[in-house]
Amino acid sequence: MLPGIASAESWMTSAAEGIALVVIVTGLLQVAFYILQLVFAAFALTNRPPVPRGATLWRRYSDQAPAISLLAPAFNEEVTVVESVRSLLALQYPDFEVLLINDGSKDGTLARVIDEFGLSRVERFVDDRVAHARIRGFYASPALPRLLVIDKENGGKADALNAGINACRTSLFCAIDADSILETDALLRVVRPFIDDPDLTIAAGGTIRIANGCTIDAGRVTDVRLPTNFFALVQIMEYLRAFLMARLALGKMQALTVISGAFGLFKRQQVVEVGGYSHGTVGEDMELVLKLHRHMRDMNQPYRIEFIAEPVCWTECPEDAKVLGRQRSRWQRGALECFVKHKAMCFNPRYGRIGFVGFGQILLVDVVGPLIEVLGYILVPLLYALGLLALPWLLAFLSVTFTFGVFVSVATLILEEIQLRRFPRARELAILALVAVVENFGYRQLSNIWRLQGWWQFLRKQQSWGTMTRKGFGGASPT
Amino acid sequence: MTTLVSLWDFSLLLCLIALAAVAGLLLARVIGEWRGKHRADWRRKLLPAMMGGETIDVGGSRLARSVAATLTLELTELVRGSDREALITAASSAGAGEELRRRLRSRAPQDRLIAAEALAMFPDHVDAVTQVALTDRSPDVRLGAALALAQEGRAPSAGELVRALGIGTREHSLLVVSLMRDLVKTDPHSVEALLYDLDLPDEAKLAATDALAESGAIDHAPLVSWMAEAAGEDSDLQPRIFRALGRIGHPAGHEAILGGLDSPSWQVRTAAAEAAGRSALSRAVPKLAGMLDDEEWWVRFRAGEALARLGAAGRLALHRAAIDPAPAARAAAKATLAERGMA
């Protein structure tokens, strides 16, 4: 062989190995971080503060439980809004107020709530510290002192929540999605850190689970079952990983970067101090938590942001690839927006573990993760086929993308089974174990493509939310 | 290359271990379901007997003792008075007390807490709760045990508990107020004594104050005098003191509340305004009217609320403020009046 050709071949092999190395090292870092999270999550679950059982929980905590305002933004929720409000009003908590915020719905959301609950227009003295679109009116009824409807001009979810923050009169508020279902004792459980450590705790989040397939009666999940739709099944595993592994572990490390917009409890004062939810981002829930970290660190004030595994909020997930894809690319866009907006915190010693662990996770999993992984799917098999990579490189790539992936998913399921056991039948556990394996072959790759779409939308500064088609939990139909 | 292959081998190994563990858990589920039938049989036998307060002989069956303990946990929350006493006697004869005693040393704090809460209801086993659960390594178990004992009227003295739990030093839970409330029911003077113990942190004293404030068991004058003094000190606990003063409404606290209205801290001003309204402190009307122009919304809101509570003088002040040149005061007064249908 001519020396020139040999040198070019050697250069190409080195380049191919370099590419594979970057892909494998990135994958390994992710896997190592996930395994660390599993360890922390297992520790957190094993040592979670004991909580009394149902009746004792009420007796013990109801005396000291601070009042909570439940902020439920609603936009075109005509089909489900009445059932959602009924379900919220039936929560077991000593002192709470439901603030339903009609965010300029174009359908009959407002009229339906007014008719169903016999509301009439009232006045309310509200704060003006956080910015939001104009409030058109307040509606309430003396017969339902726990319900207040705020009718405002459309401004998006963050804007609606800001209106709720200004209108609420409690030191704590709980941000939820109007179409989610909270377990009856979820508030009593999520408030625990605010009772146990009232001076330090500024926010707490709980677990979101998928309600698709479950039996729902009168706004309550009465029988936990698995859905038959594949996308819904896979999302059950994804949510288990996200909440039971990642958030629980990051909470334990005091490096939680997101509390789900579907269920989070916050101290109003600190949220007002950071200006409430930000407009113009699709990741407003993540951004709020980052702002809180930043604010408290900048003020040099001790604080805690907790995640508790047991208070559960049930939500309906998309069963259609198109809708799911839109949701995932939006989440990706949200994470990127937050990262860029607060990039000064990344690996900045001033922000301690949130700067290193929290932002390290965003950088590794949300920013570079999908790019490198998709690059690996294309290049590593191709370079192997061209003879530029030896078999061990391909095997190592397969290990970081498939086999370790199976391990992390199955290990999370084990954690769920040992510690929480929310799936009542053995058959369901078996199905989920199968899903934990299968999702790594096809779905994981598809999910990465959706995330790349999110990257692309982020680069093009696209702001739309896309539409989320919901079936509704109770099958109520608009009048 | 060896490293790369090892990576593949290691990942496969981890994968197989995890899958084997899931298979094991599935098997455990199946066995558990089979054992569940035996548990259900014992449940069917024990439930009516325990509810009827009958003496039950379960022989040496550990499963029966365990079922009896679980039933005790479920049923004691549902019954009260003599029915509960009968239930506890029946549960004791079925070995529930012994089983719960064993669970007091469980590895899982959740089990220890639940066992301590239940065992506090068994007069024969209170010593175990006091000696084991009150010294548990988990602060949640210690506090839970103290709460359960206090609720049954079987707790050690308030001073002992404050020190054992580290209230105000290691323990900052708001549940200590509930603990004090239960202690006040059986031994109000030991709780009152906390106020005069110089070694105790203010947080413990404040919990005692909150509890005493709601109780008619002691003379409120010295308590209010302590609170009024504490209200003048610069402390994070000030808002809680003012709220407690408002709840008591004792005239001896009025000067302190008036002083709180001028505090540089908006949290204290808010709490003092609320207290002024609750304790019908009509002397506060001019100050409260001035606070409608406060820069903090919470102060404006509580001042408006207090004025609305303070009868004709308060309402008059609100109507005057509604035409005040200061826009914040004007808006606060108008909104307060409109919200209450007094506009």
Side-chain angles (χ1 to χ4, degrees), chain B residues 6-301:
Chain B
S6 307
L7 197 63
W8 168 249
D9 292 341
F10 180 59
S11 70
L12 272 183
L13 180 71
L14 279 185
C15 219
L16 289 173
I17 291 171
L19 288 170
V22 165
L25 288 171
L26 274 167
L27 189 66
R29 275 264 188 143
V30 174
I31 294 169
E33 279 167 17
W34 176 75
R35 283 193 67 192
K37 285 177 191 142
H38 289 278
R39 287 189 80 86
D41 288 343
W42 272 113
R43 240 183 117 84
R44 269 193 295 276
K45 277 184 211 161
L46 290 175
L47 182 62
M50 284 173 69
M51 287 298 282
E54 295 167 22
T55 304
I56 311 155
D57 181 15
V58 296
S61 169
R62 190 170 160 193
L63 181 63
R65 285 204 305 274
S66 169
V67 173
T70 308
L71 278 171
T72 309
L73 297 172
E74 290 170 16
L75 299 174
T76 45
E77 286 291 350
L78 306 176
V79 290
R80 288 283 175 272
S82 58
D83 285 345
R84 200 173 80 171
E85 281 170 26
L87 175 73
I88 297 290
T89 309
S92 291
S93 71
E98 293 306 319
E99 171 64 16
L100 290 167
R101 245 185 133 106
R102 191 186 62 77
R103 291 186 194 175
L104 267 188
R105 297 187 188 279
S106 158
R107 210 174 55 83
Q110 183 76 28
D111 291 344
R112 299 202 300 275
L113 173 70
I114 290 171
E117 285 176 342
L119 218 46
M121 290 182 272
F122 287 70
D124 297 343
H125 297 284
V126 169
D127 60 321
V129 184
T130 311
Q131 286 158 21
V132 181
L134 275 185
T135 55
D136 195 279
R137 60 185 176 277
S138 159
D140 299 287
V141 176
R142 292 199 296 269
L143 182 57
L147 284 160
L149 285 170
Q151 200 188 0
E152 297 300 319
R154 292 168 182 150
S157 76
E160 266 179 71
L161 279 179
V162 167
R163 286 179 176 84
L165 300 174
I167 294 174
T169 50
R170 301 189 306 273
E171 182 60 72
H172 301 285
S173 172
L174 293 175
L175 293 182
V176 296
V177 179
S178 301
L179 174 66
M180 294 293 173
R181 277 182 194 156
D182 282 337
L183 291 172
V184 161
K185 286 178 198 159
T186 49
D187 189 4
H189 296 292
S190 91
V191 178
E192 191 183 11
L194 298 178
L195 302 182
Y196 310 106
D197 186 335
L198 296 175
D199 295 335
L200 292 185
D202 280 352
E203 202 176 321
K205 291 181 183 178
L206 189 55
T209 307
D210 271 340
L212 290 165
E214 288 180 10
S215 149
I218 62 153
D219 177 10
H220 275 157
L223 171 68
V224 175
S225 145
W226 178 85
M227 289 163 74
E229 197 181 315
E233 291 167 12
D234 186 21
S235 134
D236 292 343
L237 301 174
Q238 267 182 309
R240 271 178 70 184
I241 295 173
F242 280 110
R243 276 193 286 272
L245 280 172
R247 274 202 302 278
I248 297 176
H250 196 285
H254 285 180
E255 286 307 319
I257 293 172
L258 285 170
L261 296 175
D262 293 325
S263 169
S265 154
W266 68 261
Q267 287 93 339
V268 176
R269 291 199 301 279
T270 304
E274 192 181 347
R278 279 178 181 268
S279 57
L281 181 49
S282 47
R283 273 194 294 146
V285 168
K287 277 194 178 184
L288 288 168
M291 288 163 80
L292 289 172
D293 196 30
D294 197 283
E295 60 186 19
E296 173 60 43
W297 177 83
W298 276 110
V299 179
R300 300 199 297 275
F301 169 61

Side-chain angles (χ1 to χ4, degrees), chain A residues 51 56 59-60 169 423, chain B residues 29 77 110 117 151 339:
Chain A
V51 178
T56 318
R59 181 163 48 74
R60 188 129 306 159
R169 290 172 174 179
F423 300 102
Chain B
R29 275 264 188 143
E77 286 291 350
Q110 183 76 28
E117 285 176 342
Q151 200 188 0
E339 193 176 321

